[in-house]
Amino acid sequence: MEQTIFQHMQVVRGITEKSIQQIPEELADIVPTGFTNNIRWNFGHIAYIQEKLVFGVTGEKMILPEEYEVFFSAGTKPADWIGTPPTLVEISGELIAQKQRIGDSLPGNLQKRLPEPFTNRSGITFHTIGETFLFSFYHEALHMESIKRIYRAIKN
């Protein structure tokens, strides 16, 4: 079963990687009417939350640049940004590197208990690395849908 989970990660992240490579940089920062965030924020948020759900909640060092928390953590938005966020190419590189780190470090550890239970902003409590990792697929898909909706709004 574990092999299937990691294959699924490859599929989900592959969709994200393909999508980020197709978005022109000049569209990444547009926040259409009715939206709070832009395409860049959503891709950066996917990377940041994945890092937190796989490494941060276990107490391991998060490898993403510290600026990802400032720009892309839950509750942030581009209207509040001070400074220049990473480019789509930089975010893409982090997503690819992150997938490799997860593939290198997580196999065999999905049943490992977290140092303490982690409750997300939706009130869901997780007890194992596998639980947070599996939830991250759902989270990534939600934000990919947001990216698609923002892109359609920009194009219309």
Side-chain angles (χ1 to χ4, degrees):
M1 182 63 166
E2 185 172 278
Q3 182 181 357
T4 302
I5 292 170
F6 286 100
Q7 287 173 336
H8 186 66
M9 176 196 69
Q10 294 289 335
V11 170
V12 171
R13 185 49 61 89
I15 292 166
T16 302
E17 291 169 2
K18 183 177 179 183
S19 296
I20 197 170
Q21 292 167 1
Q22 294 175 341
I23 302 287
E25 187 76 33
E26 61 270 13
L27 300 182
D29 293 317
I30 298 170
V31 179
T33 303
F35 292 87
T36 306
N37 291 308
N38 57 34
I39 291 171
R40 182 184 320 279
W41 183 88
N42 278 277
F43 280 121
H45 182 71
I46 288 169
Y48 176 75
I49 295 300
Q50 180 86 23
E51 191 82 5
K52 183 174 181 180
L53 289 175
V54 172
F55 300 109
V57 298
T58 66
E60 289 186 46
K61 182 175 177 7
M62 292 175 47
I63 304 297
L64 280 179
E66 289 181 19
E67 66 184 349
Y68 277 66
E69 181 174 6
V70 173
F71 288 115
F72 306 124
S73 62
T76 61
K77 59 186 182 297
D80 297 335
W81 286 351
I82 297 172
T84 304
T87 66
L88 290 182
V89 170
E90 290 168 331
I91 296 170
S92 178
E94 293 295 346
L95 289 166
I96 292 166
Q98 182 181 68
K99 178 178 68 178
Q100 184 65 46
R101 283 197 317 278
I102 291 168
D104 290 344
S105 66
L106 219 52
N109 291 309
L110 295 180
Q111 296 301 320
K112 187 175 177 184
R113 296 197 66 79
L114 300 175
E116 60 185 60
F118 171 72
T119 302
N120 70 8
R121 290 173 54 121
S122 298
I124 302 168
T125 300
F126 304 97
H127 300 277
T128 67
I129 295 171
E131 290 172 355
T132 60
F133 182 51
L134 288 171
F135 180 80
S136 74
F137 302 154
Y138 168 76
H139 178 267
E140 190 158 336
L142 283 177
H143 286 280
M144 285 304 303
E145 181 59 29
S146 293
I147 290 164
K148 289 177 187 175
R149 290 177 46 233
I150 292 168
Y151 187 77
R152 278 194 300 263
I154 291 169
K155 289 304 208 178
N156 291 335

